[in-house]
Amino acid sequence: MSIDWVTVLAQIANFLVLVWLLKRFLYKPILKGIDSREAEIAERMGEARRAKEKAAAAEADFVARQQKLQADQDALAERVREQAKQQRDALLAEAHEKMEQERQDSLAQLARERERFTSELYQASAETLYQLVGRALHDLADERLEEHIALHVIGKLAPLSDALASAAEHAEEAVATTHAPLPEGARQEVEAALAARVPGLPLRFATDDSQSPGLVLRLGSLELAWTVDSYTDELVELLKERLASGESGRVNAHGG
């Protein structure tokens, strides 16, 4: 509760005037009472002064409390701002991480799609090349090609000696089938080469126009084929492997 000092001072002034008037115009007995009253007033003024000091101290304490309250409010506001900043940074980091993950997923999906497309493209290319190679070999096939294949077979019999000898034990004859009749010279060379591996086993030559150009040798259950189709299969398989591995350059067929 604040004190109205103006009112207090006005009352004091009025009282002092009254005292002066009483001292001037009344009797001395009254002056004694006045002196007593002055002492009382002095005491009250002391009390008023002490009250004023107490009020000043209370006001100072109030100001200090206000300042502390303001400081606490500022500190609280700063903490709130810091927490809000941390939450914002966390949300931004989470959003960035999610966007990065989505980007990585998209790149992985794109890579898978590209790999699938490339694989399909290679497969289509291999199939097309297979058809072209097969068509080309069939178009180029003639008696000379078949003769070359038959003579090529001679060099392939040596590693097959054991298989030929085993099959000959259960065969009455060997049959060499070609698409068209072989020239006599080629027939003799094939016959001599087989006789060197399985002596005493007769060799009969036959033709089959439904068979692709080349030579198929049968000994009982053993069948060995060196034909355009078998060469085409080997060539295409090699091309597929090269395409799948991304290799480039010249691709050579082997005469298996």
Side-chain angles (χ1 to χ4, degrees):
M1 177 179 177
S2 60
I3 299 174
D4 188 354
W5 294 107
V6 175
T7 301
V8 173
L9 293 175
Q11 290 177 352
I12 294 172
N14 291 333
F15 182 76
L16 292 174
V17 171
L18 178 61
V19 170
W20 180 80
L21 290 174
L22 289 174
K23 282 185 178 183
R24 185 175 179 86
F25 298 107
L26 297 179
Y27 296 100
K28 289 182 178 181
I30 297 176
L31 294 177
K32 185 177 180 180
I34 293 174
D35 290 337
S36 176
R37 183 61 177 172
E38 286 179 350
E40 184 182 352
I41 291 173
E43 177 63 24
R44 292 197 177 195
M45 289 183 66
E47 292 178 357
R49 184 174 60 255
R50 289 189 295 272
K52 181 179 180 181
E53 292 173 353
K54 186 176 180 181
E59 185 177 3
D61 181 66
F62 176 74
V63 172
R65 289 176 181 271
Q66 277 191 324
Q67 291 175 346
K68 184 177 184 305
L69 178 60
Q70 184 63 44
D72 291 343
Q73 289 178 342
D74 293 342
L76 178 60
E78 180 62 26
R79 287 197 299 272
V80 171
R81 285 194 295 269
E82 182 62 25
Q83 290 176 355
K85 180 178 180 299
Q86 292 176 356
Q87 291 178 353
R88 181 199 64 190
D89 293 343
L91 290 174
L92 288 175
E94 182 180 358
H96 177 74
E97 182 179 356
K98 184 176 181 181
M99 290 176 61
E100 180 62 21
Q101 184 61 47
E102 291 178 352
R103 187 180 74 86
Q104 293 295 337
D105 292 343
S106 297
L107 290 176
Q109 179 65 25
L110 181 61
R112 289 193 295 270
E113 290 293 332
R114 182 168 57 246
E115 182 178 355
R116 181 181 62 80
F117 175 76
T118 303
S119 176
E120 292 176 354
L121 180 61
Y122 283 160
Q123 181 67 26
S125 300
E127 294 298 332
T128 302
L129 188 57
Y130 176 89
Q131 296 174 3
L132 292 175
V133 169
R135 188 180 305 163
L137 289 176
H138 279 285
D139 291 345
L140 293 174
D142 56 17
E143 66 275 4
R144 294 294 299 167
L145 174 62
E146 203 155 39
E147 181 180 357
H148 284 307
I149 293 176
L151 296 178
H152 174 73
V153 169
I154 294 174
K156 297 295 181 180
L157 294 180
L160 302 174
S161 297
D162 292 342
L164 292 171
S166 177
E169 294 178 358
H170 307 284
E172 297 180 356
E173 64 175 1
V175 180
T177 305
T178 55
H179 177 79
L182 281 176
E184 184 61 29
R187 290 162 60 100
Q188 292 177 357
E189 292 193 42
V190 172
E191 189 172 16
L194 182 62
R197 306 305 166 196
V198 282
L201 182 68
L203 173 62
R204 178 169 58 87
F205 288 92
T207 59
D208 183 357
D209 58 6
S210 64
Q211 173 184 298
S212 63
L215 185 145
V216 177
L217 182 62
R218 295 182 179 86
L219 285 79
S221 60
L222 176 64
E223 180 177 296
L224 303 172
W226 294 273
T227 65
V228 168
D229 286 344
S230 64
Y231 281 110
T232 301
D233 292 339
E234 291 183 20
L235 178 59
V236 170
E237 287 302 317
L238 179 60
L239 290 173
K240 286 181 178 180
E241 292 177 4
R242 293 293 179 87
L243 287 172
S245 63
E247 294 181 12
S248 61
R250 184 179 178 183
V251 179
N252 296 318
H254 58 83

